[in-house]
Amino acid sequence: MSDNGKTGGATRRGFLTGAMAAGAGIAAAGAARAEGDPAITELQPWNQYLGDGVDARPYGYPSEFEKHVKRRNVEWLTADTVSSVNFTPLHELDGIITPNGLCFERHHAGIAEVDPAKHRIMINGLVDTPLVFTMEDLMRFPRENRVYFLECAANSGMEWRGAQLNGCQFTHGMIHNVMYTGVPLRYLLEEAGVKTNGKWVMPEGADASAMTRSIPLEKAMDDCLVAFKMNGEALRPEQGYPVRLVVPGWEGNMWVKWLRRIEVGDQPWHHREETSKYTDLMEDGKARRFTWEMDAKSVITNPSPQAPILHSRGRTVLTGVAWSGRGTIPRVDVTIDGGKNWHQARMDGPSFDKSMHRFYYEFDWDGSPLLLQSRAHDSTGYVQPTKDELRAIRGENSIYHNNGIQTWYVNEQGIAENVEIS
Amino acid sequence: MSKSLNVGVAVAVAGVLTVAYNFADRNVVDIPDNLPRMAELETPPQPAPMGAAMAADAAMPAKFGLGRAATPEEVAAWDIDVRPDGQGLPVGSGSVMEGEEVFVEKCSVCHGVFGEGSGRWPVLTGGTGTLASEDPVKTIESYWPYLSTVYDYIYRAMPFGEAQSLTHDEVYAITAYLLNMSFVVDDDFVLSNENFSEVSLANEENFFPDDRMETEFSVFVREACMTDCKDAVEITARAAVVDVTPDDAAARAAREVAASKGDDGAVQVAAAEETPAAAEAPAADNAELIKAGERVFKKCSACHQVGEGAANRSGPQLNGLMGRTAGGVDGFRYSNAMVDAGNGGLVWSADTLAEFLADPRAYVKGTKMAFRGIDDAGDLAALAAYLGTFNE
């Protein structure tokens, strides 16, 4: 590992060379077709020389050619990266599972680096016996494995007043979808014995923001998980290592990371993140609160502004993701003409409750400009609305819970742009 | 999991909810009336494998006998939350005048002396009458429903980067000062746990529980048009015109490839632009100290930036600090005191930085920097080592 820096340098050059070669390869393909494709006729280094041994990458990482696939920040959004958000590169992913290292991050006081040996989980408030659990204690409860999306309530929040950011990473990337392993919160609460007047719970984080939210007991006893694994491995520090709360289908801010305490009470706490923030300001100046469930939503991830169509006219794969905080997504419609005509997309991959779903629409592109939209239907019969329909009800100041239909304009060159249409 | 057991629990909880709501203080408690309906709409949870569920049922005890009782001292140490009804408020008090002093020292660097906010840090006061406008300013004065939220949040999370360092009296005092800046109380007001619940904020009544089930579900649960849904389509807004997207070299390269496509679909070569390689890794023997310094720097990072793209914020950017004349960053508005210190020959080094940070306002009398300083010699050395890495 001592020559890491050197490898990094070579890597970067490798990426550049690779990118150039790929471009050159395609350009040369027409002219040099007679002599044959050099990718075939010429010996490549990896055809000839030995690669790294098994000790070179004890914790694996993506190919050097995927270096550009990363979470990205929008600097002007916040005052400081310590209390900020970055975005999942949805346009680079497929299937329904988000890799752990690409799950968007949102913290309010930076990434807490918690020593699990010094981490405790306390249950207190309106319970028969206030309890303390170590991580070892937690591991002795029965576990469940569930795939859930986590979407920040502010996802697409910059888009209320019109098309703002050019890329689904930025317009829709405050979401990830992973398999959690955890203990039902119900078990911990029952272990302490919730008193009959207990009606709300308040999870609290161990980081320097000591994040708190009020959650109705009904939800806490229903499907919330106290999770310690994501996609099979320990939670990443930026996702709340060693333990976080999972609140399926509800806004991401409630999924308290670095979970250290759960208090049971008879009324909500009205803390900062459920009054000053995460309340939806309506046009008349009044505000909705406790808007927990995430409405059905979808977005086309390819093509999109960061992922233009690179091939010529002909066979084209359009794909995207859809999700609902109220159930599954049995159907997604896609239009390529701005909503004059719609086509039912092909759903592929597992369909889990409150999980991301993957859809595809394969078509022959005739090279003319496209106006792409997707429209999710969830298992309650709710159909994803347009942004105009949402604005008619809520105005433009609500910041949160924008689940309106997204439009991409694709020009003759295949370049895509974030637009709004009539 | 036992289905029948779950249903039993749900019914019992619903009963408790109803009963408790009837007895609760309706001014404070808002039970969204869509809760039961929401439960009806939910699809069944993700199924566990059949065999496993059956086996687990038989072996699942009512309690697992795990964990241990928390001591009253432990609960007291962590149970810091405060509610609108005053539950959780500690004994204490603080005046507007005392609050001003603490606020100017510990809060104003981000929030401004009057709560008006600095840069993109939160504005705390003003904004009254703006909530229905095109540019709503959501502050404690204009938006927050409950004073308890102010107390709770300041105590649990402020000052930014030094959470839970304020005494209860200081938090009462800061809260009183913010009330005064919001025109809620007079200059001579003293806030305490005794009179806390007598203060209410103007916007309390303007919050209502989630009503999407009534206002939106009725509209959006519907049949969807599939063919000939509209005659014409016009583009009405374009992100490229707004132009606020972060630059993305890879995406730009891809766009250039797309743009250079010929009629036959053949692609011309597009050179990918790349950002310069990251700074060289520091020498190994110094690495621990630098790492420690990075941790110490978190105390500074609310106001100062270092590294690639560092910009002036509440404080000047600190790249190339070592050897720089005090007050020497172009475009940053220093205090006269700091400019004078630079003119007087103050140049930043590990030594002068340590002297300054030991007591900033004594070392440069009149500095704008409100930070109270660092006195641990080890921390100072680590910080100097860390900042030194941004000098190349």
Side-chain angles (χ1 to χ4, degrees), chain A residues 162-182:
Chain A
Q164 289 266 323
L165 289 161
N166 244 337
C168 68
Q169 179 168 17
F170 304 113
T171 56
H172 289 75
M174 287 192 230
I175 187 167
H176 54 68
N177 198 65
V178 310
M179 176 176 278
Y180 294 96
T181 305

Side-chain angles (χ1 to χ4, degrees), chain A residues 22-232:
Chain A
I26 303 166
R33 218 164 267 147
E35 301 92 71
D37 182 350
I40 298 170
T41 58
E42 290 176 11
L43 205 53
Q44 305 300 329
W46 56 86
N47 301 145
Q48 195 162 25
Y49 306 117
L50 304 178
D52 284 344
V54 291
D55 287 337
R57 306 176 194 189
Y59 190 99
Y61 44 84
S63 160
E64 302 296 354
F65 300 99
E66 300 294 321
K67 279 256 149 132
H68 57 291
V69 180
K70 57 189 178 187
R71 299 179 284 215
R72 291 171 59 84
N73 174 19
V74 177
E75 229 181 81
W76 54 265
L77 272 181
T78 51
D80 191 286
T81 56
V82 169
S83 180
S84 190
V85 63
N86 63 18
F87 299 82
T88 304
L90 293 175
H91 61 293
E92 297 282 0
L93 304 178
D94 215 318
I96 65 164
I97 296 293
T98 315
N100 288 342
L102 294 176
C103 290
F104 87 95
E105 303 168 63
R106 169 59 167 132
H107 359 98
H108 296 75
I111 301 168
E113 301 280 359
V114 176
D115 177 352
K118 293 179 184 166
H119 190 70
R120 305 287 181 270
I121 299 169
M122 182 187 288
I123 312 281
N124 73 307
L126 297 177
V127 292
D128 298 332
T129 314
L131 291 178
V132 172
F133 301 103
T134 61
M135 289 305 294
E136 289 79 8
D137 294 334
L138 189 64
M139 303 297 176
R140 295 170 65 192
F141 284 93
R143 299 169 205 172
E144 291 182 356
N145 294 291
R146 298 286 186 274
V147 180
Y148 292 122
F149 76 83
L150 181 163
E151 185 185 15
C152 178
N155 200 20
S156 316
M158 296 82 83
E159 304 289 313
W160 272 109
R161 295 193 179 184
Q164 289 266 323
L165 289 161
N166 244 337
C168 68
Q169 179 168 17
F170 304 113
T171 56
H172 289 75
M174 287 192 230
I175 187 167
H176 54 68
N177 198 65
V178 310
M179 176 176 278
Y180 294 96
T181 305
V183 172
L185 175 56
R186 181 175 73 247
Y187 292 165
L188 303 189
L189 293 170
E190 285 173 349
E191 199 71 8
V194 175
K195 292 189 170 167
T196 50
N197 56 338
K199 206 171 47 158
W200 291 80
V201 301
M202 186 203 72
E204 180 181 75
D207 67 321
S209 79
M211 176 63 59
T212 45
R213 288 293 302 257
S214 303
I215 300 176
L217 184 68
E218 187 195 37
K219 179 69 173 176
M221 300 296 274
D222 178 18
D223 57 0
C224 290
L225 292 178
V226 176
F228 41 85
K229 294 279 201 281
M230 58 192 293
N231 292 332

Side-chain angles (χ1 to χ4, degrees), chain A residues 72 79 147 261 289 353, chain B residues 30 43 46 81 134 247 313:
Chain A
R72 291 171 59 84
V147 180
R261 188 168 72 97
R289 70 171 150 221
D353 183 40
Chain B
D30 275 308
T43 51
Q46 295 177 25
D81 47 274
E134 269 185 28
D247 196 32
R313 291 291 168 88

Side-chain angles (χ1 to χ4, degrees), chain B residues 139-216:
Chain B
T139 69
I140 293 167
E141 176 185 330
S142 69
Y143 192 64
W144 291 36
Y146 303 111
L147 187 63
S148 60
T149 313
V150 180
Y151 189 100
D152 177 89
Y153 184 71
I154 293 172
Y155 185 74
R156 79 172 48 246
M158 290 289 115
F160 192 59
E162 217 172 349
Q164 297 188 36
S165 64
L166 297 168
T167 66
H168 289 301
D169 285 346
E170 283 177 323
V171 179
Y172 277 110
I174 293 169
T175 308
Y177 177 67
L178 288 169
L179 283 173
N180 182 250
M181 287 296 105
S182 302
F183 305 103
V184 180
V185 300
D186 294 329
D187 293 350
D188 59 356
F189 182 74
V190 179
L191 183 68
S192 72
N193 55 304
E194 302 285 337
N195 65 1
F196 198 94
S197 57
E198 292 163 21
V199 184
S200 59
L201 298 179
N203 199 44
E204 179 178 339
E205 298 305 321
N206 288 325
F207 287 82
F208 61 96
D210 186 1
D211 64 350
R212 283 177 293 172
M213 281 295 170
E214 292 74 39
T215 56
E216 299 186 8

Side-chain angles (χ1 to χ4, degrees), chain B residues 6 54 66 87 223 227 266:
Chain B
N6 280 350
M54 299 301 282
L66 295 170
Q87 181 180 297
E223 288 298 312
T227 49

